[in-house]
Amino acid sequence: MVGRGRGVSVRSGIVVLIVLLALPGAPVAGATPSLPPILPIDQVRPGMRGVGKTVVAGQRIDEFQFEVLDILRGAGGPITSDRLILFRMSGPLVQRTGGSAAGMSGSPLYIQGRLVGALSASFIWQTPRRDIALATPIADMLTLLERPARRPRGAALYRASRPFAVDGRLYDRVVVAPPREAVRLVGRQPGLAVATPAVAAYALGLSPRASRLLADVIRPQGLEILQGYASKGTFAAQPVAAGSTIGVEEVRGDVEFGGICTVTLRVGDRIVACGHPWANQGEVEYVLTAAEVIAVVNTLERPFKVGNLGEVIGVVEQDRGTGIAATLGVLPRLFNLRVVVTDLDSGARVQLGAQMVRRRDMARALAPLVALSAVERARQQAAGEGTATVRLTLRARGLAQPIVRENMFYSTRDIATASVLDVLDAMELAFYNDLRRLEPYDLTVELSLTRRRHTASIVDAAAASREVSPGGTLRVRVRLQPYLAERPVTRVIEVPVPADFPRGPAVVVVRSAGVDEPGVPVEARLSGALQAEPVPWGVSSLDDALRLFAEFGRNTDILVRILPFGLPATQLEFTKFDVPAARTDRTEWVIQGSESIPILIR
């Protein structure tokens, strides 16, 4: 894009208004919320026995038995408690599930009827039984209802007061780390056991490649996609109680991204759950849904629950180091994405609609991946040659009218990925522009694809004069060769020379106005951009940013610009004068190649 400076081109429905007459689990009018009896962590001792509650089939809350083994001390990892409860599970439920499973996080633990904490982490590669787990003390989770908790880091070391046995081996230390990091730590040191938060994340409706790119984005957050398929959640939601399974969603619709965990405590219309963070984003606005469990899959690394997410029942408001907090009966604001893809060769047409929470980093990443999934579904292939015509329409409160951007892309190897590059820039304009806060509510992406090649290469370029004065005009003739055309096409473009342009040698660069990164695979460009920091727009007003988004950086435009000799050819150099030292000329082809012409400014 002209005006940006990174390896991606320029940067369904309306706001979702859901009216639910009765939300499952909503509080009864006039009821007085109260906490259940609490057993403080200082009173918990090894050898104490109790009961835990969780769901392993449908929505029925079942019980398991447990025994406290020790109180571990440490701090600073993904779970920010300075003490964790080490316990052993038992009973028929554990025999059915194979032990602690991802998705059980948040399962409340009671000793003599008093709530002590929530299952929050499981040991990995624990065989043949997975009956030892960790719990977050309830007092640390209650802070979610009152004030922010401490921010977690990557991993934390906890120490036991005495060695404990897992699979016949003795351990006196436990490291709690995100899933992928935990796998790398297994077996590193004698006496060191490895546990990971028992979260089960789902990504449904994405293509395999989009799921892989999403996995790269969420891995630093400690999330790992465990489920890629599910049926639509048409079950009748049961009232929410301690031990219920609930869903957390960031994308909802034809594509879904979220996960399940267990409710630890309900106080009126507020709940706390999970016992660990979802993505540790602090104050948030995620979708809270009903959920049901289909089965527990018992893998070698660790079991996990497979489930369906159901109707919206509330909003998640806190996502912190000791769990999540949500309110029942309150609905989150959502951003709507609609993608329509037409394959002009086969006639196939695919339409995907998704509603995203207003977590701008994930909306920025997921919108291009939803579009990529629609393109690959329409073409029924992941890559390949082709040309794509793309039209984006962004609507937001704060904009006088919808902003429209049209562009064309061509790739010899991966037109599917190339076609969605502008979607990322649309999301950055909506959520990250540094000029004015917008309230985006709708993005429509319309793509048409063909295997036919619509390109024109720059054959040569010539300046009418090799010397020009500041304040004058330079005429540049550009010859284009359209793909398989009998004869070339000539365009004459007049470029103003700014009055304050420095005198001396200069160079005229002729190329496509779109971003050109020779040798960089288009998938690598998208992947790198998804994981990189957003780039400032480099202009002084929102109107200028809107104009850049709508009009500049198109691959079909010939860009002719004048640069002082020896200066880096950054994309903004030609704008830093009294008038831009550049002009564009629109064509019907994706422009390829470039030419440079030395001139002298006298």
Side-chain angles (χ1 to χ4, degrees), residues 490-550:
T490 300
R491 297 288 180 96
V492 176
I493 304 171
E494 295 187 349
V495 185
V497 182
D500 56 349
F501 200 95
R503 300 176 186 274
V507 61
V508 178
V509 178
V510 183
R511 48 156 291 178
S512 166
V515 170
D516 184 21
E517 289 188 300
V520 179
V522 67
E523 182 180 315
R525 288 170 55 190
L526 177 61
S527 177
L530 290 175
Q531 298 178 65
E533 287 287 329
V535 177
W537 283 79
V539 292
S540 58
S541 71
L542 179 62
D543 288 341
D544 287 342
L546 296 177
R547 184 170 58 89
L548 280 175
F549 176 73

Side-chain angles (χ1 to χ4, degrees), residues 408-419:
M408 183 182 290
F409 297 85
Y410 170 75
S411 175
T412 59
R413 298 176 58 185
D414 192 358
I415 187 55
T417 302
S419 68

Side-chain angles (χ1 to χ4, degrees), residues 150-501:
R150 289 169 293 173
R151 194 161 185 84
R153 297 189 290 271
L157 181 66
Y158 290 81
R159 296 184 181 277
S161 62
R162 57 184 179 179
F164 61 93
V166 178
D167 298 340
R169 296 182 180 179
L170 291 178
Y171 299 92
D172 60 0
R173 291 157 297 148
V174 175
V175 62
V176 181
R180 289 301 93 196
E181 185 176 349
V183 170
R184 292 194 296 269
L185 292 172
V186 171
R188 286 290 184 89
Q189 297 181 26
L192 179 67
V194 181
T196 191
V199 60
Y202 303 158
L204 314 177
L206 292 175
S207 67
R209 182 159 59 153
S211 293
R212 175 168 51 80
L213 291 170
L214 175 61
D216 293 337
V217 171
I218 66 175
R219 187 169 294 120
Q221 304 169 20
L223 294 174
E224 180 182 17
I225 298 173
L226 298 178
Q227 182 179 338
Y229 297 91
S231 61
K232 286 294 182 182
T234 57
F235 55 89
Q238 299 299 309
V240 174
S244 296
T245 297
I246 47 93
V248 178
E249 280 194 305
E250 296 193 56
V251 180
R252 183 173 177 84
D254 295 325
V255 171
E256 299 190 351
F257 173 64
I260 62 174
C261 65
T262 304
V263 174
T264 305
L265 172 69
R266 175 175 175 175
V267 182
D269 61 353
R270 302 293 308 283
I271 67 169
V272 292
C274 297
H276 59 68
W278 165 252
N280 189 40
Q281 295 298 305
E283 293 185 8
V284 295
E285 198 173 359
Y286 303 155
V287 176
L288 180 72
T289 77
E292 66 173 356
V293 178
I294 303 171
V296 176
V297 179
N298 200 339
T299 67
L300 287 174
E301 181 179 320
R302 56 181 176 138
F304 63 92
K305 291 182 180 181
V306 174
N308 293 323
L309 303 181
E311 61 187 275
V312 180
I313 60 173
V315 57
V316 177
E317 299 161 318
Q318 295 288 332
D319 172 18
R320 298 187 181 274
T322 55
I324 65 170
T327 300
L328 299 166
V330 178
L331 303 174
R333 299 170 300 164
L334 299 173
F335 172 82
N336 291 323
L337 174 67
R338 177 172 171 263
V339 182
V340 181
V341 179
T342 302
D343 188 324
L344 299 177
D345 300 324
S346 68
R349 180 181 171 88
V350 169
Q351 178 171 318
L352 294 181
Q355 295 78 47
M356 302 181 181
V357 301
R358 291 173 180 264
R359 178 184 161 192
R360 60 182 188 171
D361 60 329
M362 287 303 295
R364 170 183 178 266
L366 281 159
L369 299 182
V370 173
L372 176 62
S373 298
V375 172
E376 294 185 338
R377 190 176 300 182
R379 300 190 80 210
Q380 297 186 357
Q381 66 184 75
E385 183 179 13
T387 303
T389 302
V390 183
R391 178 184 173 90
L392 307 178
T393 305
L394 174 67
R395 296 190 293 175
R397 291 185 181 87
L399 296 180
Q401 59 189 13
I403 301 302
V404 177
R405 175 174 174 79
E406 296 179 340
N407 204 353
M408 183 182 290
F409 297 85
Y410 170 75
S411 175
T412 59
R413 298 176 58 185
D414 192 358
I415 187 55
T417 302
S419 68
V420 305
L421 294 177
D422 278 0
V423 178
L424 180 63
D425 289 305
M427 299 303 287
E428 292 197 358
L429 175 64
F431 287 100
Y432 280 97
N433 87 80
D434 50 343
L435 302 160
R436 186 193 307 167
R437 185 180 298 278
L438 301 176
E439 293 187 35
Y441 57 83
D442 182 83
L443 176 66
T444 299
V445 182
E446 298 168 285
L447 294 110
S448 59
L449 299 109
T450 178
R451 288 178 173 80
R452 294 180 56 194
R453 180 171 177 173
H454 293 280
T455 64
S457 58
I458 297 174
V459 177
D460 57 49
S465 173
R466 289 299 181 97
E467 296 185 8
V468 64
S469 300
T473 300
L474 180 67
R475 289 169 54 88
V476 179
R477 177 183 55 80
V478 182
R479 281 205 308 154
L480 302 173
Q481 178 61 55
Y483 179 67
L484 296 184
E486 292 185 0
R487 51 180 63 91
V489 175
T490 300
R491 297 288 180 96
V492 176
I493 304 171
E494 295 187 349
V495 185
V497 182
D500 56 349
F501 200 95

Side-chain angles (χ1 to χ4, degrees), residues 4-23:
R4 295 310 300 279
R6 66 142 202 232
V8 175
S9 54
V10 70
R11 327 265 231 225
S12 355
I14 60 174
V15 173
V16 175
L17 299 176
I18 308 173
V19 179
L20 300 180
L21 298 180
L23 288 174

Side-chain angles (χ1 to χ4, degrees), residues 71-89:
I71 307 300
L72 306 183
R73 296 182 179 273
I79 302 171
T80 52
S81 296
D82 57 7
R83 287 179 288 184
L84 294 177
I85 302 168
L86 180 71
F87 67 94
R88 187 186 301 276
M89 308 167 63

